[in-house]
Amino acid sequence: MVMDSGVPKESRRNLLLKLAGIAVASSVLTFAVTWALTSSREVSVTFVQPKDSTQSTANTASANPAASGRSALTETELRSAVKTLGGSVYWAGSMSGALYTLNHVTDGQDFVRYLPNGKGLADTKQDYRVIATYKDAKAFETMQKAGELTTGVSVTNADGSLAYYAKATPTHVYLAYKDLPFQIEIFDPAPGAALKLATTPGSIKKIG
């Protein structure tokens, strides 16, 4: 992996993995993934591409420090910050003893990172659960197309939502609901944890 201007980049093959959301001042890392996938069946799916957060994070920090990704927040503070933003942000619910960061990269791209026991604010390792919300009017359609790919695994949940992950990156799972204009990305470093969250009804919910 090559670090370029604080934004990790990896792979030019069929799977393109991007990590975005590094806060400028404190180098706090949150995650975002874009997959440009093409299968042998000539089905092409492009997931929402996270924007470069270098400049937008700096702007957010001055306008709303709690949403800059630089502050460790209690659940109450997290909810207040999301309310101030006025948009839709999803997460996996509270975690006992944890604190959280909220990185509002731009309108329609938000990242909630979990800090178990309140530790790890300045840690840039991929050791923390992150739930990303990407605004996308065609999210469900994209997930349906993803289900045709031989490079990934698609799951239809009991509530009708669709989950998808690329076989090469099972710790990153995408989730979409038929009537919601969002792609929700779940990252968890523990094997199987992201998929369990994506396929367990009620696990992923709107902060509000």
Side-chain angles (χ1 to χ4, degrees), residues 131-185:
I131 310 297
T133 304
Y134 310 122
K135 191 170 185 179
D136 178 13
K138 296 184 178 181
F140 194 79
E141 178 184 339
T142 298
M143 213 64 62
Q144 287 178 314
K145 291 181 179 179
E148 301 177 39
L149 297 170
T150 59
T151 53
V153 176
S154 181
V155 178
T156 300
N157 294 323
D159 60 3
S161 62
L162 298 177
Y164 174 85
Y165 66 90
K167 294 176 182 178
T169 54
T171 54
H172 295 262
V173 181
Y174 275 95
L175 180 65
Y177 295 86
K178 188 173 183 179
D179 298 322
L180 293 178
F182 301 101
Q183 283 181 17
I184 301 167
E185 183 188 9

Side-chain angles (χ1 to χ4, degrees), residues 4-50:
D4 179 14
S5 301
V7 180
K9 294 182 179 178
E10 185 179 280
S11 181
R12 294 183 180 179
R13 303 173 60 187
N14 290 339
L15 179 64
L16 176 63
L17 187 82
K18 274 193 176 182
L19 303 178
I22 299 181
V24 177
S26 61
S27 297
V28 174
L29 183 63
T30 56
F31 301 91
V33 173
T34 294
W35 293 328
L37 297 161
T38 305
S39 77
S40 59
R41 297 169 58 193
E42 297 183 353
V43 176
S44 179
V45 177
T46 301
F47 289 87
V48 171
Q49 181 170 347

Side-chain angles (χ1 to χ4, degrees), residues 56-195:
S56 57
T57 301
N59 293 338
T60 301
S62 60
N64 186 357
S68 68
R70 304 179 188 179
S71 301
L73 309 173
T74 64
E75 180 178 350
T76 298
E77 290 169 336
L78 174 64
R79 291 182 181 278
S80 177
V82 170
K83 184 177 181 179
T84 298
L85 290 176
S88 295
V89 179
Y90 288 82
W91 72 331
S94 60
M95 177 186 291
S96 179
L99 293 177
Y100 314 90
T101 66
L102 172 64
N103 193 355
H104 176 68
V105 175
T106 186
D107 288 340
Q109 290 194 13
D110 297 279
F111 306 86
V112 176
R113 183 166 66 120
Y114 286 68
L115 303 176
N117 301 314
K119 307 296 184 180
L121 178 61
D123 192 346
T124 60
K125 295 177 183 177
Q126 299 179 41
D127 292 339
Y128 303 88
R129 175 182 294 174
V130 179
I131 310 297
T133 304
Y134 310 122
K135 191 170 185 179
D136 178 13
K138 296 184 178 181
F140 194 79
E141 178 184 339
T142 298
M143 213 64 62
Q144 287 178 314
K145 291 181 179 179
E148 301 177 39
L149 297 170
T150 59
T151 53
V153 176
S154 181
V155 178
T156 300
N157 294 323
D159 60 3
S161 62
L162 298 177
Y164 174 85
Y165 66 90
K167 294 176 182 178
T169 54
T171 54
H172 295 262
V173 181
Y174 275 95
L175 180 65
Y177 295 86
K178 188 173 183 179
D179 298 322
L180 293 178
F182 301 101
Q183 283 181 17
I184 301 167
E185 183 188 9
I186 305 159
F187 169 79
D188 195 297
L195 182 60

